[in-house]
């Protein structure tokens, strides 16, 4: 019984250490949480996506992806293009005179929200590095019968983090009660997205 718990906690700790870093996906979930818009579906999508990728890595998909570097290059280029587009979009939104507030924000439909979070998730090459390759490699240190517990622990950390980020964002709403606060947030998001896009393009060289 203790070995099951140790494997679970090992997966949980590793996943938590990787996922907490500020990135495009986390910023999008935070923004949706501040707007109280489609938080549940977005959080569940992120959690299930990570779970699928973690299971793939633990099942040995990481070794397979490592033999096809062109696939990773394709994801990198696509991800850079999307991040650049979203970054420019966020900066343009920040420059508008009618910048949003929490109460009167520009709504986005559920399909559009899910399409955006899907792009942030599946077009980010680092998600494959973290969940498929790294988690898959780390799981090999576990005995084969214990690897499912390692995967469950890692996936649990992902669901917990995105849930806390999405639903905990409302605690920050008093800070975003004015248009100026949303302008600052959009500028930060835009700059981060453009920075991440630049890093991805540098990796392709």
């Amino acid at each position: 019984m203790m070995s099951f718990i140790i494997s679970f906690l090992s997966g949980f700790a590793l996943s938590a250490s990787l996922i907490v870093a500020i990135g495009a996906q986390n910023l999008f979930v935070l923004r949706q949480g501040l707007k109280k818009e489609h938080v549940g579906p977005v959080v569940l999508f992120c959690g299930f996506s990570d779970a699928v990728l973690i299971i793939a890595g633990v099942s040995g998909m990481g070794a397979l992806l490592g033999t096809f570097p062109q696939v990773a290059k394709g994801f990198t280029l696509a991800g850079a293009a999307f991040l650049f587009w979203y970054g420019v979009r966020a900066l343009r939104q920040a420059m508008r005179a009618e910048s949003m507030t929490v109460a009167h924000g520009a709504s986005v439909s559920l399909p559009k929200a899910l399409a955006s979070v899907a792009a942030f998730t599946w077009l980010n090459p680092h998600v494959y590095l973290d969940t498929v390759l790294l988690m898959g490699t780390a799981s090999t240190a576990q005995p084969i019968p214990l690897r499912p517990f390692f995967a469950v622990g890692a996936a649990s950390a992902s669901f917990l983090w995105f849930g806390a980020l999405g639903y905990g964002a409302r605690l920050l709403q008093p800070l975003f009660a004015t248009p100026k606060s949303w302008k600052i947030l959009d500028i930060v998001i835009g700059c981060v997205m453009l920075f991440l896009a630049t890093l991805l393009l540098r990796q392709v060289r």
Side-chain angles (χ1 to χ4, degrees), residues 10-170:
S10 296
F12 187 96
L14 179 58
S15 178
S17 66
L18 293 172
I19 202 172
V20 170
I22 295 177
Q25 184 189 47
N26 285 343
L27 286 175
F28 182 80
V29 175
L30 175 64
R31 200 175 198 280
Q32 291 302 116
L34 287 169
K35 293 168 63 178
K36 292 185 179 180
E37 190 174 76
H38 313 307
V39 179
V42 167
V43 166
L44 287 176
F45 184 93
C46 292
F48 277 115
S49 294
D50 272 8
V52 169
L53 291 167
I54 289 168
I55 292 172
V58 174
S59 300
M61 188 64 70
L64 181 62
L65 283 178
T67 62
F68 296 99
Q70 292 303 316
V71 174
K73 183 177 181 179
F75 276 114
T76 299
L77 291 174
F82 177 77
L83 289 175
F84 181 81
W85 170 81
Y86 198 92
V88 171
R89 178 175 175 270
L91 291 176
R92 290 181 62 185
Q93 182 167 287
M95 295 301 108
R96 293 175 184 169
E98 65 278 9
S99 185
M100 63 179 289
T101 62
V102 171
H104 302 91
S107 297
V108 62
S109 67
L110 177 59
K112 286 186 177 180
L114 291 179
S116 294
V117 75
F120 284 128
T121 302
W122 294 93
L123 290 181
N124 178 11
H126 292 292
V127 76
Y128 299 96
L129 176 63
D130 290 345
T131 58
V132 179
L133 295 176
L134 201 155
M135 296 294 295
T137 302
S139 70
T140 60
Q142 304 289 326
I144 293 178
L146 297 180
R147 290 178 189 176
F149 295 93
F150 179 88
V152 171
S156 297
S158 180
F159 277 104
L160 182 62
W161 167 252
F162 287 118
L165 187 63
Y167 288 103
R170 62 192 61 192

